[in-house]
Amino acid sequence: MNSDFSAGTSAAWAALGADPALLERVSHGGPSGGLPARLPVMELARATVAVCSLAAAELAAVRSGRPVPAVRVDDGAVATAFLSDRLVRVDGRAWTAFAPLSRFWRAADGWVRTHANYPHHRERLLLALGLPDGAGADAVAGAITERRAEEVEDAVYAAGGLAVAVRDVARWAAHEQGALVPTRPLLTLERLDGGREAAPPRAWSGATGTPLLPCAGLRVLDLTRVLAGPVATRTLALLGADVLRIDAPHLPESQEAHNDTGMGKRSTTLDLGRGADHRVFEELLADADVVVTGYRPGALDRFGLSAEALAERRPGLVVAQLSAWGRYGPWRGRRGFDSLVQAATGISLLEGSDGEPGALPAQALDHGTGYLLAAAVLRALTGRYGPDGGGTRLARLALTQTAHWLVHGLASTPERGGGHDPERWTTTTDSPMGRLRHALPPVSYEGGPADWARPPGLWGADAARWATA
């Protein structure tokens, strides 16, 4: 193995609390050049896919009683998967991932990055800037250019919108939130039993046949949105889990986004504030093995969806929680997206030029964190059902921790473009929306699945029940 690749993979595997001897099962190769950047984005991508693949192989071995399968990480497949949201097509039609008001803006003393892809975020941005509904880019540019970047940041967040001042690495390190990031690990994976008696190991059938699916028979409730969380849960679906995505009916997801991240899943809507819908959710929870949430910390607690409340009602559950800024510091309750984390943490200026901010070649914080999240769930399942016995498990990750790892924790190996043809790692299939082109999964191990068992369907159109009785 390449030593830099080994170092990144080893660090992520250690963060998962896994056996370092299993790293000998991993190799990598294939054409590089698909994620050119100043920062080691390709190393991040390789490492996160590698540990996810190895965690899947480990769980497959636990369930089947076979040796841990060999893992092969292909650079071309990895780069293509990290670009999956840009490569997805329906009947040849591309998806424009960013709306016109989601971009960088010049402020009086620097730059601001906004995110306004959803209608409610766009409305709140305009409200914060004192602009009428329907105002366009010129009006927004005029309003922001007269204000300091941090003033815009504070005003937009106060209105419930999303904007951050673009900072360099030093300014982020000196910020009250940024100063806390280096004191936290890349991820946490722990037991939630506390003083209670641990839930006993849950019986399940062995994993046999080809492809070898380590998550066969497992049920996953997916309460995530946009990219990082859905990347994790589509990976669990690839590995055989029955994944049911649940959204609030008043917060619709774009069908275009779901075309990319809904692979292998079903999708429904429930209003957890309504008694009838909440009862349906509780019935689903009673048979769930994993719950994955991707909302800002505390946002779902009023529905009884804190990790502790879930563990109380469903002992032995695996709970995985994803946030943008972490569950600490003054920004712990803020909403966030990959693009905003890049801007706040110094990544945008590192990838920019001539004083103007830039961006990573993919939403690599989202994708990388998604594969780490899936790996954490897989390792939790290995611990929950494996020789270590029962117990309720909790995994927590944050985009800002992944960003810190990218900037400070990985070997600086900038990569130039060239030699990457994504068409080699895409395929086309029929779907309810039309002919769907999508990236093939990069998570791979000997005897494992090569593609998802089903394409995405229409967002929110499935019944709120498990696929099998």
Side-chain angles (χ1 to χ4, degrees):
M1 285 189 297
N2 176 293
S3 60
D4 288 339
F5 168 66
S6 177
T9 304
S10 295
W13 194 238
L16 290 162
D19 180 1
L22 292 180
L23 290 168
E24 296 299 323
R25 306 299 296 158
V26 181
S27 63
H28 96 285
S32 189
L35 297 172
R38 295 190 177 98
L39 289 167
V41 175
M42 194 66 219
E43 185 182 351
L44 170 80
R46 290 187 194 112
T48 55
V49 170
V51 296
C52 187
S53 300
L54 186 55
E58 179 190 30
L59 181 56
V62 167
R63 292 198 63 183
S64 66
R66 305 177 190 176
V68 176
V71 168
R72 176 70 173 175
V73 180
D74 188 295
D75 278 2
V78 170
T80 302
F82 268 60
L83 296 166
S84 66
D85 47 305
R86 304 181 187 184
L87 296 173
V88 67
R89 301 284 188 275
V90 174
D91 293 334
R93 299 189 304 275
W95 168 38
T96 302
F98 287 100
L101 300 188
S102 296
R103 47 171 274 198
F104 293 106
W105 309 88
R106 191 181 290 277
D109 61 346
W111 295 87
V112 171
R113 172 72 178 179
T114 58
H115 194 288
N117 285 0
Y118 290 108
H120 58 292
H121 290 155
R122 184 180 187 279
E123 291 168 5
R124 293 166 186 173
L125 171 65
L126 296 177
L127 175 66
L129 297 176
L131 298 173
D133 187 30
D138 289 345
V140 172
I144 291 179
T145 195
E146 299 174 351
R147 307 186 189 191
R148 293 184 301 106
E150 290 190 23
E151 177 188 345
V152 175
E153 174 184 274
D154 290 341
V156 174
Y157 267 106
L162 294 114
V164 298
V166 176
R167 295 169 171 85
D168 62 20
V169 171
R171 281 185 63 202
W172 176 243
H175 187 272
E176 188 177 358
Q177 184 71 28
L180 294 174
V181 176
T183 69
R184 301 309 202 272
L186 174 61
L187 58 90
T188 60
L189 183 55
E190 59 186 339
R191 293 178 69 141
L192 267 184
D193 303 302
R196 302 188 305 275
E197 182 178 350
R202 193 172 298 162
W204 59 358
S205 60
T208 60
T210 301
L212 190 60
L213 298 175
C215 293
L218 294 177
R219 291 168 168 171
V220 178
L221 289 174
D222 175 8
L223 286 81
T224 68
R225 291 175 65 78
V226 190
L227 201 49
V231 164
T233 51
R234 80 176 178 193
T235 302
L236 299 177
L238 169 76
L239 299 171
D242 179 2
V243 179
L244 179 62
R245 173 167 169 165
I246 298 176
D247 287 277
H250 62 282
L251 290 176
E253 180 63 279
S254 76
Q255 181 63 46
E256 290 81 6
H258 191 60
N259 292 342
D260 173 41
T261 60
M263 301 298 302
K265 309 179 195 177
R266 291 176 305 113
S267 166
T268 194
T269 61
L270 290 174
D271 181 353
L272 298 184
R274 294 181 64 246
D277 281 10
H278 196 90
R279 286 191 290 274
V280 172
F281 178 84
E282 291 297 319
E283 292 171 1
L284 293 167
L285 177 64
D287 292 321
D289 299 283
V290 180
V291 174
V292 186
T293 66
Y295 291 76
R296 58 195 171 92
L300 299 178
D301 289 3
R302 67 186 187 277
F303 303 122
L305 297 182
S306 69
E308 294 75 15
L310 287 168
E312 188 71 32
R313 301 202 303 286
R314 179 63 167 151
L317 194 68
V318 173
V319 181
Q321 296 178 329
L322 169 73
S323 62
W325 307 106
R327 306 181 70 84
Y328 52 83
W331 285 18
R332 62 186 177 275
R334 290 197 176 193
R335 300 171 179 87
F337 293 92
D338 182 309
S339 59
L340 300 181
V341 176
Q342 288 189 43
T345 60
I347 290 173
S348 294
L349 289 178
L350 288 172
E351 293 293 336
S353 60
D354 299 325
E356 296 192 5
L360 298 175
Q363 293 189 71
L365 305 181
D366 267 336
H367 284 274
T369 306
Y371 290 113
L372 286 175
L373 183 63
V377 170
L378 295 166
R379 291 244 61 247
L381 289 166
T382 295
R384 174 67 184 84
Y385 296 98
D388 290 340
T392 302
R393 314 282 167 138
L394 171 63
R396 283 176 169 160
L397 293 91
L399 298 185
T400 188
Q401 299 298 148
T402 305
H404 183 79
W405 189 45
L406 173 63
V407 175
H408 301 284
L410 293 173
S412 181
T413 53
E415 183 161 326
R416 297 180 179 178
H420 175 244
D421 178 12
E423 292 298 327
R424 289 182 55 188
W425 294 277
T426 63
T427 189
T428 304
T429 187
D430 289 322
S431 79
M433 293 73 64
R435 289 291 289 171
L436 175 72
R437 186 188 80 164
H438 66 88
L440 289 167
V443 172
S444 176
Y445 56 91
E446 187 176 2
D451 201 354
W452 286 272
R454 52 167 285 171
L458 295 173
W459 175 86
D462 293 297
R465 61 172 180 261
W466 297 113
T468 56

